[in-house]
Amino acid sequence: MKLVPTLMLALVLLASTATHAESPYDVNGIKLGDREEAIKKAFPGIRCKPLEWKSDAADRRCDDAKIAINRIESRITFYLKADAVQAMDVRFDLNYQETMVAYLKQRWGAPLAEGREKIVRKNQEERESYKVRWEKGHDRALLSSLSSGGRVNLSISRGNFDEEIYRVK
């Protein structure tokens, strides 16, 4: 009869491992769930401080680190809650968009969605938005740009971070 408690413990451990699985998305080795100490070790020049507003999504941010991803010069901001990375925002020049997308597809696999959309507004020049989205479990990555913007944003987050980060408290 000792088999039942052992089996129950194994099932509980398996379930907790599945819900806290390591994120498939990383930036230069830093993944969602990593601690601030790991960020500072990987990016010694980064500045970390408390978030300037109240949010359920994060309580600290580490930003303005210059990094290279696949030899593409970028800047990164990490958002942390209870000393765990909840999100990362990477920004880089629009000229490297195709190179970065190819690199990310190689690393993360085929995206869940990819598309372009023309944006036409009265008395304004036509623009095009481009988005590529990956999702695995509660983690997601979204690369987005506007043809008129000059910059590309790669946002990696867990759960409902994007909805909560700027919600006024």
Side-chain angles (χ1 to χ4, degrees), residues 50-66:
L51 208 58
E52 294 88 1
W53 62 93
K54 296 284 182 204
S55 173
D56 288 340
D59 52 27
R60 291 185 62 76
R61 69 185 277 162
C62 298
D63 57 3
D64 286 335
K66 290 182 182 178

Side-chain angles (χ1 to χ4, degrees), residues 14-58:
L14 183 62
S16 71
T17 302
T19 57
H20 298 318
E22 198 169 281
S23 177
Y25 311 117
D26 75 286
V27 174
N28 291 7
I30 301 296
K31 295 181 178 171
L32 297 174
D34 282 352
R35 299 176 157 268
E36 186 173 320
E37 179 182 308
I39 296 169
K40 289 179 176 178
K41 185 176 179 182
F43 306 103
I46 201 161
R47 295 185 315 242
C48 298
K49 62 183 181 180
L51 208 58
E52 294 88 1
W53 62 93
K54 296 284 182 204
S55 173
D56 288 340

Side-chain angles (χ1 to χ4, degrees), residues 25-31 42-43 67-69 76 78 88 90 107-108 154 156:
Y25 311 117
D26 75 286
V27 174
N28 291 7
I30 301 296
K31 295 181 178 171
F43 306 103
I67 65 171
I69 302 173
I76 191 164
F78 295 93
M88 302 175 242
V90 178
R107 295 212 50 222
W108 298 342
L154 172 62
I156 302 167

